[in-house]
Amino acid sequence: VARAVDATVFPQAIGMAATFDPALIGEVARVISDEGRAKHHEFARRDQRLRYQGLTFWSPNINIFRDPRWGRGQETYGEDPYLTSRMGVEFVKGLQGDYADAPTTKYRKTDATAKHFAVHSGPEADRHHFDVSPSERDLYETYLPAFKALVQEGNVASVMGAYNRVGGESVSSSQRLLIDILRKDWGFTGYVVSDCDSIEDIFLHHNIVKTAEEAAALGVKKGTELNCGKTYHALVNAVKQGLISEAEIDDSLRRLLLTRFRLGMFDPVADVPWAQIPYSVNQSAAHDQLARKAAQQSIVLL
């Protein structure tokens, strides 16, 4: 939101986790989504629809922070699966307008994204090619609980796959993680987005297949609807080569269009309650006051 002109600045997630106050995190997320919604409609009035001006947010990062060599630890809620789950669920509800608590609500406020699914927090330099094989107990007790909570309690709109492999599978094309666990076991009905260029990693770094066409087809078939990157440009040739059918692509496309309908993007602005949030909420006195409160509550005496 702050990359689309000034915004209220809150503590890093690792600081907000130190508040041990899920309700406060929910308030913070509601402010973030208020400002993001107001900005989106202001830009749309000017016919501007660029990056950082939309309604799909790649947050929260609910990876478990175990390795200090990972450069994204400050984006997480720390090392505890339970705390991460509680903070993450409230953050998602705040971003999406408590959509999980009001299933009859026609419009979702914004899309939250649970990332990076899964078992992602190793050394940053190795993230594009390493393969991790946690024990079943560690997988289910440490790395998956927060994602399950965000799917089943938070009704999170989107899940982002990680760069790495788990048990030999790229998690951006994983039968076990994206289809068997996420969709079949947990009942996830939203869409999966790749981390940027993680579909490319399938053939360039993981060497699971040899070509972009094969990687693109595998990504869609194994549950990644949306690609951040350029590899899905190869889907046209993948269809021509018989690697994937148009019907399979249409199934993924249906989920992507559905989320845009749920955000109200195809309806008159007057019909969408979230579109009525005034631009003046950005950096308002009340939002500054909440930012100060979050910062104060994040202070920990060591």
Side-chain angles (χ1 to χ4, degrees):
V1 179
R3 283 175 166 170
V5 195
D6 296 340
T8 302
V9 177
F10 294 97
Q12 281 279 13
I14 197 75
M16 291 196 290
T19 68
F20 291 91
D21 189 345
L24 177 61
I25 300 307
E27 288 184 56
V28 167
R30 277 186 280 278
V31 164
I32 293 169
S33 55
D34 276 355
E35 296 194 1
R37 257 290 178 178
K39 285 183 177 181
H40 168 75
H41 293 291
E42 178 61 28
F43 287 124
R45 280 190 285 271
R46 304 176 191 174
D47 200 27
Q48 295 178 17
R49 304 179 189 278
L50 302 177
R51 192 178 184 188
Y52 310 125
Q53 297 175 356
L55 295 172
T56 52
F57 293 177
W58 286 358
S59 190
N61 184 341
I62 53 170
N63 290 136
I64 300 302
F65 187 30
R66 277 186 160 180
D67 191 328
R69 294 172 296 176
W70 185 42
R72 307 285 286 275
Q74 78 282 353
E75 295 182 5
T76 75
Y77 298 122
E79 73 279 10
D80 184 75
Y82 178 74
L83 179 65
T84 298
S85 299
R86 295 307 98 212
M87 294 295 189
V89 166
E90 292 306 311
F91 192 85
V92 167
K93 288 181 177 181
L95 280 188
Q96 297 190 166
D98 288 328
Y99 195 77
D101 294 333
T104 58
T105 300
K106 184 175 181 180
Y107 299 107
R108 193 159 51 217
K109 191 177 183 184
T110 66
D111 280 1
T113 303
K115 67 181 192 182
H116 310 81
F117 188 62
V119 200
H120 177 76
S121 59
E124 192 81 355
D126 296 332
R127 64 183 182 169
H128 291 282
H129 55 79
F130 78 81
D131 186 9
V132 59
S133 296
S135 68
E136 286 296 282
R137 178 174 180 173
D138 207 18
L139 179 66
Y140 276 93
E141 292 188 0
T142 306
Y143 292 106
L144 295 186
F147 286 99
K148 183 179 181 181
L150 266 61
V151 168
Q152 296 189 337
E153 297 177 48
N155 196 24
V156 70
S158 173
V159 170
M160 179 184 287
Y163 288 113
N164 51 282
R165 279 172 286 156
V166 173
E169 290 186 309
S170 163
V171 295
S172 292
S173 60
S174 171
Q175 172 73 34
R176 187 182 187 201
L177 284 170
L178 298 183
I179 296 178
D180 295 342
I181 293 176
L182 182 63
R183 294 204 180 276
K184 293 181 180 178
D185 293 350
W186 296 349
F188 179 65
T189 58
Y191 62 97
V192 175
V193 58
S194 76
D195 206 341
C196 293
D197 293 324
S198 66
I199 301 295
E200 183 179 79
D201 286 348
I202 294 172
F203 74 99
L204 275 187
H205 298 115
H206 295 312
N207 298 313
I208 293 171
V209 295
K210 296 183 182 300
T211 68
E213 286 79 10
E214 290 174 302
L218 188 63
V220 175
K221 283 174 174 285
K222 297 300 182 182
T224 298
E225 282 83 14
L226 185 60
N227 176 216
C228 173
K230 56 184 182 297
T231 310
Y232 277 7
H233 293 177
L235 281 172
V236 173
N237 283 335
V239 171
K240 292 176 180 178
Q241 293 173 20
L243 298 170
I244 190 171
S245 68
E246 285 191 50
E248 289 171 303
I249 295 173
D250 286 345
D251 185 51
S252 292
L253 182 61
R254 180 185 60 81
R255 294 189 186 98
L256 298 181
L257 285 171
L258 182 59
T259 201
R260 297 187 68 191
F261 281 114
R262 284 182 172 149
L263 291 167
M265 289 184 166
F266 298 105
D267 292 344
V269 173
D271 293 348
V272 183
W274 304 119
Q276 313 313 313
I277 300 171
Y279 190 83
S280 59
V281 301
N282 280 274
Q283 293 188 299
S284 66
H287 290 186
D288 282 346
Q289 186 177 4
L290 182 62
R292 179 181 292 274
K293 178 182 178 181
Q296 290 170 335
Q297 295 299 312
S298 75
I299 297 169
V300 177
L301 181 63
L302 300 178

